[in-house]
Amino acid sequence: MVERLTLTKPDDWHLHVRDGELLRRVVPDSARRFARAMIMPNLSPPIITTELARQYRNRILAAVPEDLRFQPLMTLFLTEETAPSEIVKAKVSGFVHAIKWYPSGATTNSESGVRQISRCYPVLQAMEEQGFPLLVHAETTAPDIDVFDREAVFIDRQLAPVIQRFPGLRVVVEHVTTRNGVQFVQDASPMVGATITAHHLILNRNALFDGGLRPHHYCRPVLKRESHRLALVEAATSGHPRFFLGTDSAPHPRRDKESACGCAGIYTAHAAIELYAEVFEQADALDRLEPFASFHGADFYGLPRNIEQITLLKKTWQVAESFAVDEDAVVPLRAGESVAWQLATGR
Ligand code: NCD
Ligand code: ZN
């Protein structure tokens, strides 16, 4: 049995760090485990310009503990008003690495997202020309589509046509959750990849109703049935180079989660790589964790692989029930329960 696992420091290709006190509390959790993270732009108001991204990046950097190096890779929130010239600015900046397409209303703070993607074609064209990746929240908002089918329908109706129209555009299906999504990425060109979260690898939709309604297991895209979870585990542990780690760690104050209209988002940054290690160990694929967590994403984005390393120990530890922030608290995944792998500190 493997008791100790040293791997190239991973990257998190999909992360929400919020702002203010919450940002200062969560960034160290990610910085301990990851060398870089693709920072999602869905603040309120969203990060729609390179200038806003520059300021947000500085706030994130200020929250990185002194003994750690952590590089926030910034993204811009795509709106129907985004100008192609903004893409050029973003590319030139060197710190903005992608644009995020949120269908309007699909998830937290996405209201100013895209209603009709054809209005963004000039921007997508500029991105294709500049070699600038498009990150996609692949869920339709059509009210007649069942919530569990929203990814598959979005891929068919919205994403596939865009990929066909802009074949040179680099596209990431963020937090893929279904067998259909996995298949779509596998069949697509080398320009199309996908991130996979730890929670979608660990939980199926039963976790939403386990003994009662479980708001801390509610996220978008919503958890799916077991057969889809198994397809995700298979994709993540397959060694396929276009599937890579993206936690979608998304903290919300407890009052916003435990509410009559609770927010979507699961906080996993406190134990992110440890949770992935559990999944890979269970699938008897621990040797595939490093490529998935540390190589595939960097290679896909054309960024250098990290040099630093981290070590994980096969040692059970208890996750806190919650942590205090902003006169409220955040309830992390596995609150009060145990995680089978532990991050070694000060090797
Ligand atoms: C994210 C958030 O809270 O910002 N929520 C979530 O459930 N994943 C937004 C998102 O990535 O959809
Ligand atoms: Zn997200």
Side-chain angles (χ1 to χ4, degrees):
M1 200 170 78
V2 181
E3 298 285 345
R4 190 186 171 92
L5 189 65
T6 293
L7 61 156
T8 303
K9 199 168 185 186
D11 299 309
D12 183 348
W13 296 103
H14 184 127
L15 178 65
H16 302 267
V17 292
R18 313 305 189 201
D19 216 337
E21 190 187 333
L22 185 49
L23 176 148
R24 289 189 287 278
R25 173 58 187 79
V26 299
V27 164
D29 277 351
S30 290
R32 273 184 211 109
R33 294 164 176 82
F34 299 101
R36 298 171 288 201
M38 198 64 91
I39 305 295
M40 293 300 124
N42 62 331
L43 300 187
S44 179
I47 304 296
I48 53 172
T49 64
T50 304
E51 177 53 25
L52 286 171
R54 188 184 63 76
Q55 295 165 13
Y56 187 29
R57 178 172 177 269
N58 288 339
R59 298 199 293 279
I60 297 168
L61 286 173
V64 177
E66 267 175 23
D67 57 326
L68 296 169
R69 284 183 296 277
F70 178 71
Q71 238 185 302
L73 309 174
M74 308 310 290
T75 61
L76 299 188
F77 184 106
L78 180 64
T79 74
E80 293 178 1
E81 284 74 48
T82 303
S85 59
E86 193 63 48
I87 303 305
V88 180
K89 261 191 226 164
K91 176 82 182 177
V92 168
S93 78
F95 55 79
V96 181
H97 290 265
I99 307 288
K100 181 73 187 279
W101 169 13
Y102 287 101
S104 175
T107 187
T108 308
N109 297 337
S110 62
E111 294 71 27
S112 45
V114 177
R115 279 168 222 284
Q116 212 179 310
I117 191 64
S118 57
R119 299 210 180 104
C120 302
Y121 282 172
V123 172
L124 298 186
Q125 169 129 25
M127 291 171 65
E128 190 180 35
E129 285 163 12
Q130 299 282 327
F132 213 63
L134 178 69
L135 314 185
V136 187
H137 184 107
E139 276 195 301
T140 180
T141 54
D144 58 323
I145 302 299
D146 189 277
V147 69
F148 294 104
D149 297 334
R150 287 184 179 184
E151 182 174 286
V153 170
F154 182 91
I155 288 175
D156 270 7
R157 293 188 192 168
Q158 310 241 42
L159 186 56
V162 163
I163 288 174
Q164 208 164 17
R165 190 177 187 105
F166 302 99
L169 184 61
R170 194 170 290 280
V171 171
V172 181
V173 179
E174 295 296 329
H175 40 52
V176 66
T177 61
T178 58
R179 186 172 286 281
N180 324 49
V182 163
Q183 189 69 49
F184 177 80
V185 172
Q186 282 168 343
D187 294 346
S189 85
M191 299 301 280
V192 180
T195 52
I196 306 181
T197 77
H199 48 277
H200 289 106
L201 289 170
I202 292 170
L203 303 173
N204 64 34
R205 65 193 194 181
N206 290 343
L208 286 164
F209 311 108
D210 188 12
L213 192 58
R214 299 293 195 123
H216 298 292
H217 288 159
Y218 173 55
C219 63
R220 299 309 296 261
V222 72
L223 297 170
K224 301 298 190 300
R225 62 168 66 240
E226 178 66 3
S227 57
H228 293 300
R229 187 190 73 81
L230 291 173
L232 299 181
V233 172
E234 210 179 295
T237 59
S238 68
H240 190 298
R242 284 185 284 114
F243 293 100
F244 35 89
L245 185 158
T247 63
D248 194 19
S249 176
H252 288 279
R254 170 183 258 163
R255 62 171 171 266
D256 295 341
K257 293 286 294 173
E258 299 176 9
S259 142
C261 185
C263 289
I266 300 180
Y267 187 67
T268 55
H270 64 296
I273 189 65
E274 299 91 320
L275 292 168
Y276 283 101
E278 280 187 2
V279 172
F280 277 68
E281 183 182 35
Q282 257 172 30
D284 200 17
L286 266 181
D287 57 323
R288 301 254 167 98
L289 179 62
E290 185 181 44
F292 173 79
S294 316
F295 300 159
H296 294 168
D299 296 353
F300 184 84
Y301 281 105
L303 293 168
R305 292 178 179 185
N306 299 314
I307 291 168
E308 247 183 293
Q309 293 183 319
I310 58 163
T311 294
L312 297 174
L313 306 174
K314 186 73 194 287
K315 203 168 153 199
T316 299
W317 59 286
Q318 195 86 6
V319 176
E321 292 283 356
S322 67
F323 58 83
V325 67
D326 275 333
E327 292 169 5
D328 198 334
V330 168
V331 178
L333 188 66
R334 289 272 173 90
E337 294 171 23
S338 63
V339 173
W341 287 86
Q342 187 168 48
L343 184 70
T345 47
R347 280 182 314 118

